[in-house]
């Protein structure tokens, strides 16, 4: 059965979470529509699809134009408005084969993402590190439908067009397709897995959440906590090295400590 068609009576996110965490945040100058943090680096794209990386506390523009960008153990990757896929190799963007609307480089040198039809794909570690200009890549099509898919070393989470949340079992760098899905209670519009396995997301009305109780023996965790900062509503977030990077709906950038 397609995961987009799973019908379970699960509580809506917000109703199932009893804890609210007040964030300690600083505003970072600039405006972004999408942000990603990994391997100690922070990158993002603005409303004009200009690309930036945070260097010495300032945003430095990277040549090119992308609609979605991700950085992690597999390098710096992005997709443009035409769903073309690019990897930064040396100082140049190299286009690879395939089409994705959303991409994630947080896996242990494997790449994952979703295309314009919500089909799910991943690229195993050996293929990820050997990308060359125009090279054919062995993208693995994963069963199901998702609009957003994010991984770390061996934990992958996604959300579908109905904002249902799913966890993927048995993902490894060399076998990135995994084995099966399990639906997790709640509703999210986007989801991100941090380098330490932490899971965060934003729902359709701009509320941010963190997954609690994630352990090696229970990778799905136990509950959700809502994250708040003043009266802001959020659009996107990413987590790395103890810092949560959040974008508000008006594209303000927040750097938050948990």
């Amino acid at each position: 059965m397609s995961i987009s068609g799973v019908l379970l009576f699960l509580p809506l996110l917000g109703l199932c979470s009893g804890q609210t965490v007040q964030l300690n945040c600083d505003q970072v100058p600039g405006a972004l529509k999408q942000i990603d943090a990994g391997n100690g680096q922070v990158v993002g794209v603005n409303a004009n699809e200009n690309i930036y990386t945070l260097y010495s506390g300032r945003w430095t523009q990277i040549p090119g134009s992308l609609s979605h960008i991700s950085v992690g153990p597999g390098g710096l990757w992005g997709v443009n408005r035409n769903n073309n896929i690019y990897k930064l190799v040396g100082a140049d963007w190299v286009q690879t084969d395939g089409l994705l609307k959303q991409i994630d480089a947080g896996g242990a040198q494997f790449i994952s993402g979703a295309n314009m039809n919500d089909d799910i794909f991943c690229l195993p570690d050996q293929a990820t590190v050997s990308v060359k200009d125009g090279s054919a890549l062995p993208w693995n099509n994963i069963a199901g439908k998702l609009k957003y898919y994010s991984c770390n070393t061996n934990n992958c989470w996604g959300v579908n067009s109905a904002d249902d949340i799913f966890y993927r079992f048995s993902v490894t760098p060399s076998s990135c397709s995994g084995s099966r899905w399990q639906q997790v209670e709640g509703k999210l519009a986007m989801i991100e897995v941090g380098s330490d396995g932490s899971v965060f997301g934003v729902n359709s009305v701009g509320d941010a959440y963190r997954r609690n109780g994630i352990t090696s023996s229970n990778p799905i965790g136990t509950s959700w906590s809502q994250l708040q900062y003043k009266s802001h509503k959020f659009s996107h977030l990413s987590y790395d090295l103890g810092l949560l990077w959040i974008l508000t709906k008006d594209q303000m950038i927040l750097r938050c400590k948990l």
Side-chain angles (χ1 to χ4, degrees):
M1 177 184 292
S2 167
I3 60 174
S4 62
V6 174
L7 297 177
L8 295 177
F9 293 99
L10 297 179
L12 296 180
L13 188 57
L15 298 179
C16 61
S17 59
Q19 183 180 4
T20 300
V21 177
Q22 298 296 326
L23 294 171
N24 176 20
C25 303
D26 297 317
Q27 183 177 350
V28 178
L32 295 173
K33 71 170 185 178
Q34 186 255 324
I35 195 167
D36 195 67
N39 269 14
Q41 187 175 358
V42 183
V43 295
V45 295
N46 67 10
N48 296 320
E49 300 184 349
N50 297 318
I51 311 164
Y52 293 91
T53 183
L54 194 61
Y55 181 76
S56 297
R58 295 185 177 183
W59 293 107
T60 300
Q61 187 171 354
I62 301 172
S65 177
L66 294 173
S67 58
H68 196 277
I69 193 169
S70 185
V71 64
L76 183 59
W77 292 67
V79 296
N80 66 11
R81 64 173 63 184
N82 297 318
N83 301 309
N84 301 126
I85 305 169
Y86 294 87
K87 180 185 181 183
L88 191 66
V89 180
D92 298 312
W93 289 108
V94 171
Q95 184 177 350
T96 73
D97 67 337
L99 295 170
L100 292 175
K101 66 177 178 181
Q102 174 264 328
I103 195 164
D104 189 272
Q109 293 190 327
F110 70 91
I111 305 300
S112 55
N115 72 6
M116 67 291 292
N117 300 315
D118 289 353
D119 297 319
I120 314 157
F121 292 90
C122 69
L123 186 66
D125 54 354
Q126 291 187 352
T128 297
V129 299
S130 61
V131 169
K132 297 179 181 178
D133 194 3
S135 59
L137 297 177
W139 289 102
N140 294 343
N141 186 197
I142 302 171
K145 294 282 187 179
L146 293 176
K147 65 177 179 179
Y148 204 104
Y149 190 48
S150 179
C151 301
N152 78 333
T153 304
N154 49 18
N155 291 289
C156 294
W157 292 67
V159 295
N160 67 9
S161 59
D163 292 349
D164 298 318
I165 307 165
F166 294 89
Y167 175 82
R168 187 71 174 173
F169 281 92
S170 306
V171 174
T172 68
S174 59
S175 181
C176 60
S177 296
S179 61
R180 65 182 178 91
W181 295 104
Q182 180 167 326
Q183 188 172 354
V184 179
E185 84 282 356
K187 294 278 187 179
L188 290 175
M190 63 81 58
I191 196 165
E192 282 283 334
V193 184
S195 54
D196 64 353
S198 299
V199 177
F200 299 85
V202 177
N203 68 12
S204 59
V205 297
D207 298 324
Y209 292 86
R210 178 179 185 171
R211 187 68 176 171
N212 304 315
I214 294 176
T215 64
S216 57
S217 59
N218 182 24
I220 293 178
T222 56
S223 63
W224 296 99
S225 291
Q226 186 174 353
L227 307 176
Q228 293 183 337
Y229 179 68
K230 298 181 178 179
S231 59
H232 290 293
K233 291 295 184 179
F234 309 115
S235 62
H236 206 274
L237 49 70
S238 188
Y239 178 80
D240 184 48
L241 299 179
L243 292 175
L244 181 64
W245 299 84
I246 307 182
L247 304 181
T248 66
K249 282 190 173 288
D250 55 1
Q251 300 184 12
M252 184 173 71
I253 306 166
L254 299 174
R255 177 180 54 212
C256 307
K257 296 180 179 179
L258 295 174

